[in-house]
Amino acid sequence: MGDAGRRWGRRERALLWTVLVAAWDAAWGQLRYSVPEELPKGSFVGDVEKDLELGLSALRDSGVRVVSEGRTPYFALHGKTGHLVTAERIDREQICESAQQCVLRCEVIVEGEMKVYKIEVEITDINDNAPSFRQAENELRMSETTAPGWRLPLAEAHDPDSGPNSLQRYELSGDEHFSLAVQTVPGGSQRPELVLEKALDREEMAFHELVLRASDGGEPARTGTARIRVVVLDANDNAPVFSQAEYTVRVPEDVPMGSVLVAVTASDADEGLHGHVKYSLKKITDKASKILQLDDVTGKLTLMRSPDFEEMSLYELEVQAHDGGGLFDTAKVVITVTDVNDNAPEISVRSALSEISEDATSGTVVALLHVQDRDSGVNGQVRCSIAETLPFQLEKTFEDYYRVVTVGKLDREKVSEYNVTVRSVDGGSPALQSSAVLALRVLDVNDNAPVFAEPRYRARLAENNAAGALVLTVRASDEDWGQNARVRYRLSEGRVRGAPLSSYVSVQAETGALYALRSFDYEEVREVRLWVWAEDGGLPALSSNASVVLEIVDENDNAPQVLYPPAAAPSAAVSGWAGVELAPRSAEPGALVAKVVAVDADAGQNAWLSYELAKATEPGLFRVGLHSGEVRTARFPLARDAARQSLVVVVKDHGRPALSATATLTVVLAESVAELLSELGSAAAAVPGEPAASLTRWLVLAVAAVSCLFLAFLLLLLAFRLRRWRRSQLLATSGSAALRGVPASQFVGIDGVRAFLHSYSHEVSLTADSRKSHLRLSSGSCCDTLPARPPPDEHAPVLGEDPAATSRVDPAIPSQAQPNTDWRFSQTQRPGTSGSQNGEEGGAWPNNQFDTEMLQAMILASANEAADGNSTLGGGTGTMGLSARYGPQFTLQHVPDYRQNVYIPGSTATLTNAAGKRDAKNAGASGGNKKKSGKKEKK
């Protein structure tokens, strides 16, 4: 059992060693096969698919091929079976010549995996060559005096086969005088020698015919023969003798053709024919016979072509010198060829990629190279390199194989194609070099988002544009290629004035052109802000955005709108009460008569308004402020001037072309209400087609209305007096409070009287304790700012009180001044478009949009206060803070939302009162007299 266990252990160890050797060979990727020579083309060599465990699918998909060393491919790979087969008939003697072991090498390259497997195929010899002699017939000369036992070397036979199939034995037949002796020389070769067994007699036999047969050891054996004719000569005492038994020559492989390598010399002491020496080559190989030539007379060995160290580096041959008597001598010539760096390195691309993705990882194999130099020693040592600027490097795998791998990250946007030049230099002097170029195209990866030419776009579009008008074109570029660089545009979601953004503008997906889908109105939309997205066609897609601001430019598409005087209704126009203003006949030049208020919905220059007097009953009597719209007297009214003056004012903007509107004012030159009523009554009577009875009826109704109104006024005045007296008793310590005017809207009456009273209620008031027939004006008219609305608990001035009552002045009431009839802003406080500049027309127009925006803010504030009903601006409820002179007729219902250019007389702007004080004195004096005389007439 112990012996059996030991034997089993030895078997296991042997099996283990076999497995380890197989694993070692597999690990190094090497296979070895053995096939006989002279196999037909396509013969089976080995099962590469099985031995390398590649698989048939890998063979087809990975691109497996066989590369043979040298210029002739001897093997191929059968794609369907994975077998290694012969590519052509292999002749061992032609490939390996006299080598004992003939091994051919090839590589199996798996391109998909960039792997190399080395295969060695041993070519075994078959007996396909018979021994042969260089000369089929040889003639030998031998003196009859030659003693028996003398030996004469014979020409050797040559058999290119190896091993048992090579030359094995010689045989001699034909004559009893000679025998054959075979000498074994160092190296294992056999040398035949002719041995003289029996003395010769020329007179008995001058010629001897012999046959030398050479046989190999094949089965069946092959033979070759040579005929030898021995000529018996007369006695020759001296044989030729070489100067050297062996000639050794070293020549470089680049020695030129025709060069003499060596000159052999032999001497013969005989004279005459027996002393004449000739030279011949006794032993020479086929390759040596192709490049070497011996001169039989001079003994010079000459090159017929340059030797090739890589083909054969050593030549050994024998030279024979023989005289005319048949005697000879033999010398050996050894020619050593030294290597010269005459072969540049050879770079073979075994496998290479033509395309690589730019996101390939570092270390990706790009190509597999085989580099060799046929020279030897230092001349055959090769160094390979790649330019350092390229993102590639060389890695040596085994023996003469190199891999080209990537280092770092590739970027197609910087370099889209590479021509990788691999240079190889040998170690010779001078060094030889060669190169190979690998063309590699970098495939694109979607790693770049589109980039807009500008991060922000701004465009201007005039309002009232045509639907589908081109606004602007955005541009975005993508550094990628192909589908990854195809950019499409889209708009982000949004809303404009409650409507989707897509209903206002659109963008063309391919070109980036933005179009307006509808006509814009500057008064509705001033600016449209949106985002444009650019998206490429990659997977996944990358995108970027840019902001676009579309500015709507105003055009002059709105005509001025007259707010005051309001447009008269048909009935009012017939009765003559529309736009009626009162001007005292005693008014001085420059006195304010009326004010035309207009607005324009446009902005900027298109909303700058100017006023012109287009038509007047008396052209020189009135003038209109160019920018303020104020109607003032240009001279003193004359007695010959008509009492009823009709004025037509044209309001124009500054657009191109300019738009305009007209306003019609009726100014009555009168000193009292009675004159105004009589004038208006006469005007009504003058209306063509009005019956007299109808006119009388209206006059009666007017007088009744005035009487009722007067009675109500007296009762109201009495109530206020009682209330004031009561308050004076309660607040005696705090002083007396001044009376304030009540809103004119408390009065009732016919339309014309109501308009008159509403228009002038702020200018005329009476003190409650007055005993004289003169007028007192509200204290608020002397201030620099417009009067605020009186508190509800304060007394208001009234019109039509007893003249005696007006002569008394309450000491608690401060002195009153006339209202400022000339509203005048300072230069820095003038509004923009339709403001109240003074009659001197010295003001400047607003020169930028900022002024307009300030004016809009003023309008908005005034409109909001008016809407509240608690506004502190003068004029009472619903007047938007306009002058109390025009307030009751100018209510909030007539005012659209023109916030940027409406002049607000009741704003907080400081007013100058120089001209107002001057006008107040004149108006006060004349007004007081008129009221006194009117009162007396009434009594």
Side-chain angles (χ1 to χ4, degrees):
M1 289 297 292
D3 295 340
R6 285 192 295 272
R7 287 196 299 271
W8 180 251
R10 286 195 294 270
R11 291 178 184 177
E12 287 183 342
R13 284 195 295 271
L15 181 60
L16 179 60
W17 277 111
T18 304
V19 172
L20 290 176
V21 170
W24 178 265
D25 290 340
W28 284 99
Q30 294 185 1
L31 296 177
R32 188 178 181 91
Y33 301 106
S34 177
V35 294
E37 63 174 329
E38 300 295 339
L39 289 177
K41 181 179 179 181
S43 298
F44 174 80
V45 177
D47 192 348
V48 174
E49 179 268 335
K50 179 180 179 181
D51 296 337
L52 295 180
E53 298 180 355
L54 296 177
L56 292 177
S57 59
L59 290 176
R60 289 190 295 267
D61 299 338
S62 300
V64 180
R65 59 190 178 93
V66 174
V67 178
S68 300
E69 291 186 355
R71 298 181 178 86
T72 304
Y74 292 105
F75 304 100
L77 191 66
H78 197 280
K80 294 183 179 180
T81 62
H83 294 169
L84 185 68
V85 297
T86 57
E88 63 177 28
R89 186 180 295 273
I90 301 175
D91 186 359
R92 176 189 175 281
E93 290 72 31
Q94 182 180 358
I95 298 173
C96 299
E97 200 168 353
S98 60
Q100 293 297 322
Q101 188 178 28
C102 182
V103 178
L104 296 181
R105 294 175 177 82
C106 62
E107 293 93 18
V108 175
I109 298 177
V110 184
E111 294 187 353
E113 301 177 0
M114 290 292 177
K115 292 184 178 179
V116 180
Y117 301 94
K118 196 163 186 177
I119 298 177
E120 292 183 352
V121 180
E122 180 181 2
I123 309 300
T124 59
D125 183 56
I126 64 172
N127 192 23
D128 59 338
N129 293 281
S132 62
F133 292 92
R134 185 174 181 81
Q135 294 179 350
E137 293 184 1
N138 296 312
E139 184 178 293
L140 300 177
R141 295 177 180 272
M142 187 174 295
S143 176
E144 61 180 341
T145 61
T146 303
W150 186 84
R151 295 171 178 261
L152 177 66
L154 299 178
E156 297 179 11
H158 176 67
D159 192 337
D161 293 329
S162 64
N165 296 324
S166 63
L167 180 64
Q168 296 295 323
R169 62 183 179 274
Y170 291 95
E171 296 178 355
L172 183 66
S173 62
D175 199 326
E176 60 183 4
H177 289 81
F178 299 95
S179 64
L180 183 65
V182 179
Q183 300 291 333
T184 302
V185 297
S189 62
Q190 296 179 353
R191 176 180 296 179
E193 293 181 350
L194 187 63
V195 180
L196 182 61
E197 294 290 340
K198 187 178 181 181
L200 300 177
D201 188 355
R202 182 180 179 278
E203 289 71 25
E204 181 181 349
M205 183 180 292
F207 302 96
H208 296 268
E209 297 290 340
L210 305 174
V211 176
L212 180 61
R213 180 179 290 106
S215 302
D216 59 23
E219 294 183 1
R222 292 176 177 266
T223 61
T225 59
R227 292 184 178 275
I228 302 174
R229 185 181 184 185
V230 180
V231 179
V232 181
L233 302 176
D234 284 337
N236 185 14
D237 298 336
N238 297 289
V241 177
F242 278 101
S243 60
Q244 296 176 216
E246 182 176 329
Y247 294 86
T248 302
V249 182
R250 293 178 62 89
V251 295
E253 61 176 326
D254 61 348
V255 62
M257 183 182 64
S259 299
V260 177
L261 300 182
V262 64
V264 296
T265 58
S267 61
D268 194 323
D270 294 328
E271 294 182 355
L273 182 61
H274 293 165
H276 184 68
V277 179
K278 288 189 176 181
Y279 304 94
S280 63
L281 292 173
K282 294 296 293 182
K283 182 180 179 180
I284 188 171
T285 61
D286 292 337
K287 289 185 178 180
S289 63
K290 294 178 181 178
I291 67 170
L292 299 174
Q293 183 180 13
L294 180 64
D295 191 330
D296 60 348
V297 177
T298 61
K300 293 181 179 179
L301 196 61
T302 309
L303 284 175
M304 292 187 292
R305 66 176 180 85
S306 297
D308 188 355
F309 175 84
E310 290 71 36
E311 182 179 349
M312 196 166 185
S313 61
L314 181 65
Y315 297 92
E316 293 183 358
L317 58 148
E318 289 184 356
V319 181
Q320 189 179 71
H322 54 86
D323 56 17
L327 300 180
F328 60 89
D329 191 11
T330 304
K332 185 177 181 180
V333 178
V334 179
I335 301 174
T336 302
V337 181
T338 59
D339 183 44
V340 174
N341 191 26
D342 58 344
N343 292 282
E346 297 178 359
I347 302 177
S348 301
V349 181
R350 298 301 196 210
S351 180
L353 299 178
S354 60
E355 297 176 343
I356 185 172
S357 177
E358 66 174 323
D359 61 349
T361 59
S362 180
T364 301
V365 181
V366 174
L368 188 64
L369 308 178
H370 180 260
V371 183
Q372 67 176 359
D373 195 320
R374 297 180 62 197
D375 295 323
S376 62
V378 178
N379 297 331
Q381 295 177 0
V382 182
R383 299 187 308 274
C384 297
S385 62
I386 292 179
E388 295 180 356
T389 57
L390 298 177
F392 303 97
Q393 70 178 11
L394 281 173
E395 292 181 356
K396 190 170 183 178
T397 55
F398 62 90
E399 293 187 357
D400 298 329
Y401 275 90
Y402 293 85
R403 293 192 306 175
V404 180
V405 298
T406 60
V407 289
K409 184 176 179 60
L410 303 178
D411 191 351
R412 190 208 65 84
E413 287 70 41
K414 294 181 179 179
V415 181
S416 60
E417 291 185 357
Y418 287 96
N419 289 325
V420 183
T421 301
V422 181
R423 290 183 171 84
S424 60
V425 181
D426 60 22
S429 181
L432 300 179
Q433 64 179 3
S434 62
S435 62
V437 179
L438 303 175
L440 187 63
R441 185 161 62 95
V442 182
L443 300 180
D444 184 53
V445 174
N446 190 28
D447 56 349
N448 290 278
V451 178
F452 281 92
E454 300 178 18
R456 298 177 181 83
Y457 290 86
R458 193 174 189 91
R460 294 169 62 88
L461 179 65
E463 65 172 330
N464 304 320
N465 59 283
L470 176 64
V471 177
L472 81 160
T473 300
V474 297
R475 286 283 186 271
S477 59
D478 197 312
E479 294 183 355
D480 293 323
W481 181 81
Q483 185 68 21
N484 295 332
R486 185 179 180 183
V487 180
R488 294 180 65 86
Y489 304 90
R490 61 180 174 85
L491 295 179
S492 61
E493 297 295 332
R495 304 186 72 82
V496 178
R497 294 181 63 86
L501 177 64
S502 58
S503 64
Y504 281 86
V505 292
S506 68
V507 62
Q508 191 171 3
E510 288 77 14
T511 63
L514 265 72
Y515 295 95
L517 298 181
R518 63 168 65 178
S519 179
F520 285 92
D521 187 359
Y522 175 81
E523 286 70 39
E524 293 183 359
V525 180
R526 301 290 180 87
E527 187 177 79
V528 177
R529 293 179 177 270
L530 53 96
W531 290 88
V532 179
W533 287 83
E535 188 175 78
D536 58 25
L539 190 67
L542 301 178
S543 61
S544 62
N545 57 21
S547 65
V548 177
V549 178
L550 177 58
E551 182 181 350
I552 309 302
V553 180
D554 181 52
E555 288 188 345
N556 192 26
D557 56 346
N558 292 281
Q561 182 179 357
V562 178
L563 302 181
Y564 186 83
S571 60
V574 172
S575 61
W577 297 101
V580 177
E581 300 288 345
L582 176 64
R585 283 189 173 273
S586 61
E588 294 182 354
L592 179 64
V593 176
K595 179 176 176 63
V596 177
V597 180
V599 294
D600 195 314
D602 295 321
Q605 185 174 343
N606 296 327
W608 296 352
L609 301 181
S610 61
Y611 303 84
E612 296 180 4
L613 186 61
K615 184 178 179 182
T617 303
E618 196 67 40
L621 182 57
F622 299 99
R623 60 183 175 87
V624 178
L626 179 62
H627 302 314
S628 64
E630 295 177 349
V631 180
R632 297 178 181 271
T633 56
R635 59 175 174 81
F636 287 102
L638 303 178
R640 57 181 175 81
D641 294 333
R644 183 186 177 94
Q645 299 286 329
S646 179
L647 306 179
V648 178
V649 179
V650 177
V651 184
K652 293 183 179 180
D653 58 24
H654 280 66
R656 293 185 181 179
L659 302 179
S660 62
T662 59
T664 303
L665 289 171
T666 300
V667 180
V668 177
L669 300 176
E671 296 291 346
S672 64
V673 176
E675 291 184 19
L676 174 62
L677 295 177
S678 63
E679 178 59 32
L680 296 178
S682 63
V687 176
E690 181 76 20
S694 177
L695 180 60
T696 303
R697 182 171 59 256
W698 282 108
L699 288 176
V700 172
L701 290 176
V703 172
V706 170
S707 300
C708 293
L709 181 63
F710 183 71
L711 181 59
F713 179 75
L714 291 179
L715 293 176
L716 184 63
L717 181 62
L718 180 59
F720 274 108
R721 290 292 297 171
L722 292 175
R723 182 180 180 182
R724 181 184 176 190
W725 175 82
R726 185 179 178 182
R727 290 183 60 189
S728 63
Q729 294 298 324
L730 297 176
L731 303 174
T733 58
S734 59
S736 301
L739 291 177
R740 299 294 181 184
V742 297
S745 60
Q746 303 295 331
F747 296 99
V748 295
I750 63 175
D751 295 340
V753 175
R754 182 187 302 169
F756 173 76
L757 294 176
H758 284 193
S759 300
Y760 296 96
S761 62
H762 75 289
E763 288 190 358
V764 182
S765 64
L766 299 177
T767 59
D769 55 351
S770 177
R771 293 290 185 266
K772 297 182 180 180
S773 299
H774 63 86
L775 297 176
R776 291 293 182 183
L777 301 181
S778 173
S779 63
S781 62
C782 67
C783 301
D784 290 340
T785 58
L786 296 180
R789 180 178 177 180
D793 58 347
E794 290 187 358
H795 197 73
V798 296
L799 181 65
E801 192 176 336
D802 187 357
T806 62
S807 61
R808 296 194 306 270
V809 179
D810 194 336
I813 301 176
S815 60
Q816 304 288 332
Q818 286 289 348
N820 186 3
T821 59
D822 184 13
W823 301 333
R824 187 171 302 176
F825 283 97
S826 66
Q827 183 66 24
T828 60
Q829 295 171 334
R830 290 174 180 165
T833 55
S834 57
S836 59
Q837 291 174 331
N838 58 21
E840 298 176 1
E841 312 300 340
W845 289 101
N847 55 5
N848 53 45
Q849 194 171 359
F850 179 69
D851 296 339
T852 304
E853 294 175 355
M854 291 181 61
L855 191 54
Q856 291 176 357
M858 294 168 60
I859 296 167
L860 180 60
S862 301
N864 292 335
E865 292 177 1
D868 281 341
N870 298 323
S871 174
T872 59
L873 300 176
T877 304
T879 62
M880 279 189 64
L882 295 175
S883 169
R885 180 181 179 91
Y886 311 107
Q889 291 180 334
F890 184 42
T891 60
L892 186 60
Q893 63 182 351
H894 300 100
V895 183
D897 189 10
Y898 301 123
R899 303 177 182 180
Q900 75 275 16
N901 49 15
V902 178
Y903 166 64
I904 307 298
S907 66
T908 58
T910 304
L911 301 175
T912 60
N913 60 354
K917 292 181 179 180
R918 181 181 69 249
D919 296 340
K921 293 178 180 179
N922 299 331
S926 61
N929 295 334
K930 291 294 180 182
K931 292 297 177 178
K932 185 187 292 183
S933 60
K935 191 68 176 177
K936 289 179 179 180
E937 293 172 359
K938 190 172 182 180
K939 288 180 178 181

